[in-house]
Amino acid sequence: MPLRLFAACLATLLFASMPAWAADDPVPSKCMAIAQTLPEVTYASFTPAQDFVDGDVIITYAGHSTYVVETPGGVRIATDYSGIYGSDPLPRIVTMNKAHRTHYTDLPDRGIEYVLRGWNPDGGPARHALVVDDVYVRNVPTDIRRLNEMERDGNSIFIFEVAGLCIGHLGHLHHRLEDAHYGAIGRLDVVMVPIDGGMTLSIDAMTEITTRLYSSMILPMHRHSTAIGEFTGMMGDGFAVEFRNSRSLKVSLRSLPARPTIVILDGV
């Protein structure tokens, strides 16, 4: 307990040094992290456990990089939405990245209430901090490769804070993360990781990022022809591996695995 209190005090001191777009969020993040120069992160939560909303979050692999997240309050979210996957029933929130046409659409259905692009069409970083019923959605901008050059703030990692869980989608990530990224991301209980091995990042780079995030549950995506064993093997013995014969799973703060687990849903 004293160590946890110390971490909370240290996080309070560090909060002032967070990027302005993170510090100015209208809702304080429950997933705030203290990013260190070493490949470990100490996490602190400012919300007592009794304040967490109870209930299961349902996560479904729809296809490619699209996972559908359904909150206990009934909010449906589709990630890296192109309109091909995750559109039936129609989600209330969609996130997009513009690396390829399979990760966004210029013509989202008008019935979608919130279309969150991982880039800013007007230039500069995208800025999302949105509360819809029982979910808080925010983003951490990252860069993107364009014709062998890097476009600053061209894409985003999206984070969904719901039912006490911190759920992250790494999107079409094109570079290793820096300490500032890890600090802005914070704790991720569940992380969705592209493992194509080249179109985003190498398996080596992606395992480095996944290991540092050290989430309780890792959900691979964007696999293409990469053998699952190539990713799970590089993650090492510290991570359990579990194959499911369903495209969906239920997860809550209380049901998170005690050991970090790579969960491969049907279709991945």
Side-chain angles (χ1 to χ4, degrees):
M1 183 65 69
L3 182 59
R4 188 175 180 81
L5 290 174
F6 171 76
C9 292
L10 186 56
T12 302
L13 293 173
L14 188 69
F15 187 74
S17 65
M18 296 290 285
W21 48 265
D24 291 340
D25 282 354
V27 178
S29 170
K30 298 174 184 176
C31 310
M32 178 179 286
I34 302 169
Q36 302 171 339
T37 55
L38 296 176
E40 290 89 19
V41 179
T42 302
Y43 301 108
S45 172
F46 298 102
T47 302
Q50 62 265 28
D51 289 346
F52 289 146
V53 177
D54 212 359
D56 291 322
V57 176
I58 301 173
I59 301 176
T60 301
Y61 180 67
H64 201 56
S65 286
T66 302
Y67 274 96
V68 174
V69 178
E70 297 176 76
T71 77
V75 179
R76 183 179 172 90
I77 306 161
T79 66
D80 273 18
Y81 182 79
S82 66
I84 299 174
Y85 304 107
S87 60
D88 185 19
L90 203 63
R92 288 185 65 188
I93 304 171
V94 299
T95 65
M96 298 181 188
N97 277 307
K98 66 173 182 177
H100 301 289
R101 295 293 309 190
T102 49
H103 296 259
Y104 73 99
T105 175
D106 291 323
L107 299 170
D109 191 294
R110 293 183 179 182
I112 299 171
E113 293 179 54
Y114 305 98
V115 177
L116 309 183
R117 293 173 175 84
W119 69 100
N120 183 353
D122 298 323
R127 172 74 170 83
H128 300 295
L130 176 71
V131 177
V132 179
D133 294 351
D134 61 338
V135 63
Y136 173 35
V137 186
R138 61 188 177 91
N139 72 305
V140 176
T142 63
D143 303 336
I144 187 175
R145 287 189 304 271
R146 287 288 186 191
L147 302 175
N148 297 320
E149 294 184 358
M150 297 302 289
E151 176 187 338
R152 187 171 177 80
D153 300 323
N155 276 274
S156 289
I157 293 168
F158 281 93
I159 299 158
F160 314 102
E161 302 190 21
V162 55
L165 292 168
C166 305
I167 302 171
H169 186 282
L170 296 187
H172 210 282
L173 188 59
H174 283 183
H175 58 80
R176 282 179 162 89
L177 300 179
E178 300 176 357
D179 285 348
H181 292 111
Y182 288 107
I185 291 168
R187 184 188 89 244
L188 291 183
D189 302 300
V190 181
V191 63
M192 303 162 188
V193 182
I195 60 166
D196 55 89
M199 294 183 70
T200 54
L201 282 173
S202 67
I203 295 294
D204 178 66
M206 203 58 72
T207 54
E208 173 193 307
I209 291 167
T210 308
T211 300
R212 176 161 174 175
L213 288 170
Y214 205 67
S215 303
S216 295
M217 185 178 291
I218 297 107
L219 300 176
M221 62 179 183
H222 205 257
R223 186 171 72 87
H224 298 303
S225 61
T226 304
I228 286 288
E230 186 176 347
F231 174 69
T232 58
M234 290 193 71
M235 288 297 294
D237 296 335
F239 293 80
V241 179
E242 183 179 324
F243 288 84
R244 302 276 184 99
N245 58 8
S246 171
R247 297 183 80 97
S248 298
L249 60 81
K250 290 183 179 181
V251 61
S252 69
L253 195 63
R254 294 178 179 84
S255 69
L256 286 171
R259 179 185 176 192
T261 303
I262 302 166
V263 178
I264 299 98
L265 294 176
D266 185 42
V268 171

